[in-house]
Amino acid sequence: MLFNSINFALFLPIVFLLYWLLANKHYKFQNILLLVASYFFYACWDYRFLFLLVFSTLLDYFTGLKMFDSKTISGKKFWFWLSILVNLGFLGFFKYYNFFVSSFAEALANLGMHVEVWTLNVILPVGISFYTFHGLSYVIDIYYNRIKPERNFIDYSVFVSFFPLLVAGPIERATHLLPQIQKERKFNYTNAVDGLRQILWGLFKKVVIADNCAEYANIIFNNSEQYSGSTLVMGALFFTFQIYCDFSGYSDIALGTARLFGIDLLRNFAFPYFSRDIAEFWRRWHISLSTWFRDYLYIPLGGSQGGTWMKVRNTFVIFLVSGFWHGANWTFIIWGLLNALYFIPLLLAKKNRNNIGTVAEGRALPNLRELFLMLFTFSLTVFAWIFFRANSLSDAFTFIGGIFDVSILSFPTIFPKHIILLVVFFIIIEWIGREQNYALQVLGLKWPKLVRYGFYYLLIALLFIFMGKEQEFIYFQF
């Protein structure tokens, strides 16, 4: 069930009304309703994978209890590693088995040995990377005595399966979400309206910007050898806005939807394309995943506390694992490697925390230095996205080779003015709202009511004008 579908447009108000009108007597009734709704929401993708979600939930629930109740260190370690290995085993089987088998066969072929390999023809369960990481953080926190296990199975299941975040995040923490699930929730009109505004902006990003950019990005990337260098640059730019508006649009809808039910989810994006260096970009892009890797991988490896070699090693590890998390393809690994190479000079020069605040804070426009730094960082990001989008490394190198050609000086053969104008409009709105949690949080609240609602109706009209075939969100494949 896609957020940008008619089915979800019917599903959400039904659950909302049941939640506040029938189940509002006690939060336990609300949690039962949320769990049933979440399982129904997930089963709409493929009911067979619902059993995998329930199994993963049961596994981490019981291993968490067993770890906490263990009388010996060895017993605690046994349950801990059981959860870790089973979770990663399922993730590896569905997501990475074919990659490893095919890569092994290719390596042997390069040595002159040809072997027949058995690959799997299975569908990747939607959201498996996200709900697996929910469970892993919970189990790891219990193992290191940061939290106590949740003994109410319904409450824990809602933490794992809450439908707004179930299939593409944000990746929640038990310390943040469970306390909200376990307390009374009263309807708050102001929060609900704020949630609707964030949903509207998320839908605009997804339907109007991402899906329309995707159409041209797909044409150019799938036929890159036919186009000039300037057109290939346009293709890379289209994908750059596609992936941001697609994923951050999903996150906006998820956060806005959760707020309708009195729950606040972790922020996942903070206007990353306005970053002044790559370190700032990674503090603002997919925040819940970046902080997950920081807390559960980077810091345990030593973080930046050791010598230069340890800092460099840990940085490469975190970015390569991040690339591999996104998919079983060498293109994602190279994408992660590129970002590590971007990041290392800042780390070595101790400039990776130079830009903590918001760019041009309190000012309407950036100064020339800020503008240059933003454009430079944006250019590095666009280049890296080429590998992320390409189907293979050879396709990526062909695409890049086509850019660095004299034809880059020609006018692009694909230049949809209406889409470019929409992107410019989008950038302006994002820039105006960059100091808030999302672009429309306060934008227009002090305008005359007629102007404010006219702006909202304009966004809704654009949704209907540019709504085409329902497109899945990119991060569903991860």
Side-chain angles (χ1 to χ4, degrees):
M1 189 187 301
L2 297 171
F3 279 172
N4 54 322
S5 67
I6 297 299
N7 290 339
F8 187 75
L10 296 173
F11 168 83
L12 180 59
I14 291 172
V15 178
F16 176 82
L17 291 174
L18 291 175
Y19 182 86
W20 289 117
L21 296 180
L22 297 183
N24 65 338
K25 301 300 181 184
H26 197 279
Y27 75 88
K28 291 185 177 180
F29 298 138
Q30 292 176 326
N31 290 347
I32 292 172
L33 175 65
L34 286 181
L35 183 59
V36 172
S38 297
Y39 281 167
F40 173 80
F41 175 83
Y42 193 74
C44 287
W45 299 100
D46 191 323
Y47 72 90
R48 295 168 297 180
F49 292 139
L50 180 60
F51 297 106
L52 185 62
L53 171 62
V54 173
F55 174 81
S56 177
T57 305
L58 287 167
L59 171 71
D60 295 329
Y61 172 75
F62 282 111
T63 53
L65 292 174
K66 290 294 185 181
M67 276 194 299
F68 187 77
D69 295 336
S70 291
K71 305 299 182 182
T72 64
I73 297 297
S74 60
K76 188 177 183 180
K77 285 185 176 180
F78 170 80
W79 292 109
F80 172 72
W81 284 109
L82 176 66
S83 175
I84 297 295
L85 294 175
V86 173
N87 272 304
L88 293 181
F90 274 115
L91 185 62
F93 176 77
F94 283 101
K95 193 168 182 177
Y96 301 110
Y97 173 82
N98 286 349
F99 172 77
F100 282 120
V101 168
S102 300
S103 297
F104 180 68
E106 288 177 12
L108 290 179
N110 291 332
L111 296 174
M113 294 179 284
H114 297 278
V115 295
E116 293 291 330
V117 295
W118 179 61
T119 57
L120 300 173
N121 185 24
V122 295
I123 301 172
L124 179 68
V126 65
I128 187 172
S129 296
F130 291 92
Y131 68 71
T132 297
F133 272 39
H134 283 150
L136 286 175
S137 66
Y138 172 78
V139 169
I140 293 170
D141 284 347
I142 293 174
Y143 181 77
Y144 286 105
N145 300 315
R146 296 166 186 158
I147 62 172
K148 293 182 180 180
E150 175 52 51
R151 296 188 179 275
N152 185 305
F153 181 70
I154 298 295
D155 291 354
Y156 176 73
S157 298
V158 173
F159 158 69
V160 175
S161 310
F162 186 38
F163 72 87
L165 58 78
L166 179 55
V167 295
I171 301 171
E172 272 290 345
R173 307 291 183 88
T175 51
H176 180 256
L177 185 54
L178 269 174
Q180 297 184 70
I181 293 172
Q182 296 172 315
K183 69 177 184 180
E184 296 291 339
R185 299 183 287 277
K186 300 297 183 182
F187 180 73
N188 184 300
Y189 176 80
T190 302
N191 285 344
V193 171
D194 186 52
L196 289 173
R197 275 198 302 272
Q198 192 161 8
I199 291 172
L200 174 60
W201 188 238
L203 285 171
F204 176 83
K205 287 200 276 190
K206 167 59 178 171
V207 175
V208 178
I209 305 298
D211 288 355
N212 284 283
C213 284
E215 179 182 348
Y216 295 100
N218 291 339
I219 291 171
I220 296 171
F221 270 90
N222 293 338
N223 306 278
S224 61
E225 68 283 350
Q226 300 177 16
Y227 293 110
S228 64
S230 57
T231 305
L232 296 180
V233 170
M234 291 299 299
L237 288 171
F238 282 132
F239 180 71
T240 296
F241 285 103
Q242 176 199 352
I243 192 168
Y244 170 60
C245 291
D246 189 285
F247 193 18
S248 69
Y250 176 95
S251 294
D252 281 336
I253 299 169
L255 269 67
T257 300
R259 206 170 297 123
L260 293 178
F261 297 94
I263 293 174
D264 289 318
L265 299 180
L266 292 170
R267 188 183 187 188
N268 219 13
F269 289 89
F271 308 98
Y273 287 164
F274 298 143
S275 300
R276 289 151 290 182
D277 60 51
I278 208 68
E280 184 184 9
F281 174 84
W282 279 105
R283 286 191 295 272
R284 295 176 175 275
W285 178 275
H286 202 173
I287 300 168
S288 64
L289 179 66
S290 299
T291 53
W292 198 101
F293 280 131
R294 179 198 66 197
D295 295 342
Y296 298 107
L297 185 59
Y298 184 71
I299 292 176
L301 285 172
S304 57
Q305 299 303 311
T308 301
W309 159 246
M310 181 178 288
K311 294 177 183 178
V312 172
R313 181 203 67 182
N314 294 346
T315 300
F316 273 107
V317 168
I318 203 79
F319 278 107
L320 289 175
V321 172
S322 178
F324 199 49
W325 178 90
H326 282 86
N329 195 320
W330 286 105
T331 55
F332 296 118
I333 296 175
I334 297 300
W335 170 77
L337 176 64
L338 260 180
N339 278 280
L341 293 174
Y342 293 162
F343 189 92
I344 291 295
L346 295 170
L347 180 68
L348 295 178
K350 297 182 180 180
K351 294 183 177 181
N352 55 303
R353 298 192 66 80
N354 275 10
N355 298 304
I356 301 297
T358 303
V359 63
E361 191 167 1
R363 291 181 278 123
L365 296 172
N367 58 39
L368 288 177
R369 180 178 180 275
E370 290 169 332
L371 180 61
F372 171 78
L373 291 174
M374 283 193 295
L375 290 175
F376 180 70
T377 303
F378 181 74
S379 299
L380 293 177
T381 306
V382 172
F383 183 79
W385 284 135
I386 294 172
F387 287 94
F388 194 98
R389 172 58 180 81
N391 295 320
S392 66
L393 287 180
S394 61
D395 286 352
F397 289 125
T398 299
F399 193 99
I400 294 168
I403 289 177
F404 293 100
D405 182 86
V406 68
S407 61
I408 195 173
L409 301 176
S410 63
F411 192 81
T413 53
I414 295 180
F415 194 82
K417 293 184 179 67
H418 64 296
I419 301 301
I420 293 169
L421 287 173
L422 285 170
V423 171
V424 171
F425 170 76
F426 159 75
I427 293 172
I428 292 171
I429 300 300
E430 287 268 295
W431 176 260
I432 294 171
R434 71 192 182 284
E435 295 185 41
Q436 310 302 322
N437 287 323
Y438 66 97
L440 297 191
Q441 187 173 18
V442 299
L443 180 65
L445 294 186
K446 295 182 179 180
W447 295 351
K449 185 177 291 187
L450 182 64
V451 177
R452 182 170 73 251
Y453 282 99
F455 176 69
Y456 295 153
Y457 286 128
L458 170 64
L459 295 180
I460 294 170
L462 289 171
L463 286 177
F464 284 100
I465 292 170
F466 290 96
M467 183 180 293
K469 181 182 178 182
E470 291 176 3
Q471 300 274 353
E472 282 198 356
F473 290 83
I474 292 176
Y475 267 68
F476 284 6
Q477 63 184 297
F478 307 136

